[in-house]
Amino acid sequence: MMPCDGVSRCCEPIAEEHLRRLVQLALPVFEGLFDRRPDTSGRYRGRLLLLALCQGAAQHWVDGHHEVKDLDVWGFFRSHPRGRFPVRWRKTCDFGPSALGYHPDDTGYAGRRVDVLGRSIEVEVGEDEARAVRRYLANARTRTAWHLAQRPVIALHPTSLFGLQVWPVRP
């Protein structure tokens, strides 16, 4: 039995291998969305700027103290002129067995629940992925942006930014 099996909040360290697993889980979830809804969400295929670990698990990655209930992965997409990314869309998947264990209330999961969510954001000409997400969070024009800005944001994808703390900006 793993140390966090059946524990509502886990304090085991999140390792790079866990971050890599999140990328393997989340990217196909978005592709599935695009395949199911090609007329709306499908327009966001190929527009992914940044895939990131957010909220409590990102805080745990940074400080090692915040306990993990679930793993929140956000995809930030370059906005499309014909509509926003569906704001209420959320998909869950199973992280699978690991040192992070499973939450006792998440029946049917072998590991921690992974929440996969997305947002479309404006990108200025010449702006890179990390800067666009930082601007989105700094402006906090929506409730989602405000809530996400309360905790660190850790880049998972593209690989050139893997593990980078995108938010808050370190001095």
Side-chain angles (χ1 to χ4, degrees), residues 14 19 30-31 34 51 64 73 82 96-97 129 131 143 147 155 167:
I14 295 175
L19 299 184
F30 285 115
E31 288 302 316
F34 304 150
L51 189 65
V73 177
R82 289 185 26 223
E129 302 94 338
R131 185 176 301 276
R143 286 181 39 204
H147 282 287
W167 180 266

Side-chain angles (χ1 to χ4, degrees), residues 13 24 30 38 58 65 68 79 85 99 133 135 138-140 142 158 162 168-169:
Q24 293 171 346
F30 285 115
H65 301 295
V68 176
S79 64
F85 190 91
V133 171
R135 187 174 43 73
N139 291 339
T142 65
F162 181 82
V169 179

Side-chain angles (χ1 to χ4, degrees), residues 143-158:
R143 286 181 39 204
T144 297
W146 184 87
H147 282 287
L148 289 175
Q150 303 310 300
R151 305 275 181 156
V153 173
I154 308 302
L156 302 174
H157 184 78

Side-chain angles (χ1 to χ4, degrees), residues 24-78:
Q24 293 171 346
L25 290 169
L27 290 178
V29 168
F30 285 115
E31 288 302 316
L33 170 67
F34 304 150
D35 289 344
R36 284 188 307 279
R37 298 179 63 187
D39 56 326
T40 56
S41 304
R43 66 178 65 116
Y44 279 94
R45 187 185 310 273
R47 298 180 79 83
L48 179 65
L49 292 168
L50 186 79
L51 189 65
L53 179 66
C54 297
Q55 300 174 301
Q59 184 71 52
H60 183 69
W61 169 261
V62 170
D63 68 18
H65 301 295
H66 189 87
E67 296 174 338
V68 176
K69 177 182 174 191
D70 58 14
L71 302 159
D72 297 296
V73 177
W74 284 79
F76 296 97
F77 293 84
R78 180 180 308 275

